[in-house]
Amino acid sequence: MTSLLKTISAELFANGRAAEGIPKVAREIAVQAGTTLEHEGLTLVTRQMEREHSALTRDLYEATGNATAGGTPDQVANSFLHGRFVKIPVDGWSVANDNGLRSKLVDTALDGIKDKKPVPQITENMQQVHTETVAMPAPQVAPVTTQPVPTSQSMTTTQAVPPQSPIGSFGTIAFQVSRENTITPEKFNVSRPARFAEHAILHAAPKGQHLGIGLRDISITIKLMHPFCKKPAARIAELEAMQESEQAYPLVLGGRNYGNYALLNLDVTVNTFGYGGAIQSAEVQLKLKEYF
């Protein structure tokens, strides 16, 4: 198992064959060795390789703004992963599942790329950051005492609510504060008009008639700031997709279900660009209209 995993890792990451498809190449190497991934107990490790390679290269390309395959981001990701998967056993799925850790790795890689350091030195620094971060105990967070957020079964909506968040959510965007991600409303304004009709009276003041309550208008201001918010550009793109969907989405905040709202207006102000033009901080204002 050890020698086969080293061979697979070398072929995928040292020889650059990961782009051909990690499961495909791994199976070919196993067959050439006269065995199978299942027999060697490497099916799960191969899946881990695929997920970590996909997550790390995606984040590196997004951060560097480099859309050319085979460039430095690929070299850095392959070199780092080759170092990970020559060890037995491989420690956890942290690179695939921990956004905070991956953000630190990407920042370390960016520093090395900007300073024009050789790839081995960049990956050595990344491995040190990985070791220190994985060994760091997770902070103890006090429990949040709020009412439970309504689930999709209790709402009539075209879109299911994302995983429950201590703060709330709008559509697919979860408002949350965690070690991995922080997205919170900075300003929240609700306007609810009353509807009146005026009936003209000859030689007298008009008579008013109350018709009922109008639809709520809500504006929300959100600040997206890397590294507290992972991938600000992706969150903005997610909101744009919701606006273009021609659908209404549930708004939940502080345990209260406000109902379904259409995203009428999306104002984005980018405050800071990072390396390669990646968005580092932005202010987003949502203007919502209650929808029945």
Side-chain angles (χ1 to χ4, degrees):
M1 174 180 173
T2 304
S3 67
L4 181 59
L5 180 59
K6 287 182 177 179
T7 302
I8 292 172
S9 177
E11 197 66 24
L12 288 169
F13 304 125
N15 297 337
R17 293 189 63 192
E20 298 176 29
I22 289 175
K24 172 179 171 291
V25 173
R27 288 192 198 97
E28 290 177 0
I29 294 172
V31 169
Q32 291 168 6
T35 184
T36 64
L37 296 177
E38 291 76 12
H39 184 265
E40 298 295 328
L42 292 177
T43 306
L44 192 61
V45 177
T46 302
R47 190 178 307 151
Q48 182 180 356
M49 285 180 171
E50 183 180 32
R51 286 190 57 187
E52 293 197 1
H53 179 265
S54 174
L56 186 57
T57 53
R58 180 195 64 224
D59 286 3
L60 280 168
Y61 273 116
E62 184 175 289
T64 60
N66 185 352
T68 305
T72 302
D74 272 324
Q75 296 169 3
V76 169
N78 287 343
S79 177
F80 173 76
L81 293 173
H82 179 48
R84 268 179 65 69
F85 287 99
V86 294
K87 298 181 297 183
I88 296 292
V90 181
D91 53 7
W93 287 54
S94 55
V95 175
N97 295 337
D98 190 333
N99 293 334
L101 166 63
R102 209 163 55 247
S103 178
K104 291 181 181 180
L105 294 175
V106 169
D107 288 343
T108 303
L110 287 180
D111 290 340
I113 293 171
K114 285 189 288 186
D115 294 340
K116 298 183 179 179
K117 293 180 181 178
V119 170
Q121 186 176 350
I122 295 174
T123 53
E124 183 179 342
N125 293 340
M126 292 171 68
Q127 287 162 359
Q128 182 178 351
V129 168
H130 178 271
T131 301
E132 292 172 354
T133 305
V134 170
M136 186 185 303
Q140 298 297 314
V141 180
V144 179
T145 56
T146 63
Q147 299 177 7
V149 177
T151 62
S152 55
Q153 286 78 13
S154 65
M155 308 167 94
T156 56
T157 175
T158 57
Q159 185 83 18
V161 179
Q164 287 194 2
S165 162
I167 299 174
S169 63
F170 173 58
T172 59
I173 300 292
F175 304 132
Q176 58 183 310
V177 177
S178 68
R179 190 165 72 96
E180 293 80 16
N181 215 3
T182 298
I183 304 177
T184 57
E186 187 178 55
K187 296 178 182 177
F188 182 80
N189 178 265
V190 181
S191 175
R192 191 187 191 194
R195 296 183 298 118
F196 278 85
E198 286 189 2
H199 301 283
I201 305 294
L202 187 62
H203 303 307
K207 294 292 186 180
Q209 180 181 11
H210 184 260
L211 300 179
I213 297 297
L215 298 174
R216 287 186 181 92
D217 292 294
I218 293 181
S219 63
I220 304 175
T221 301
I222 305 169
K223 278 192 175 178
L224 306 175
M225 185 176 296
H226 181 80
F228 306 107
C229 170
K230 309 307 173 189
K231 310 181 194 65
R235 301 288 77 75
I236 293 170
E238 194 172 348
L239 287 165
E240 289 174 343
M242 290 168 58
Q243 186 182 34
E244 294 166 4
S245 70
E246 301 180 358
Q247 296 181 5
Y249 295 86
L251 173 64
V252 177
L253 199 59
R256 176 180 175 183
N257 176 12
Y258 283 84
N260 293 338
Y261 285 78
L263 178 50
L264 297 187
N265 204 53
L266 177 63
D267 291 327
V268 179
T269 302
V270 178
N271 298 318
T272 310
F273 287 100
Y275 182 77
I279 296 176
Q280 294 295 299
S281 68
E283 185 174 285
V284 181
Q285 186 175 55
L286 315 179
K287 292 185 179 179
L288 314 178
K289 187 76 169 182
E290 193 171 14
Y291 185 91
F292 285 99

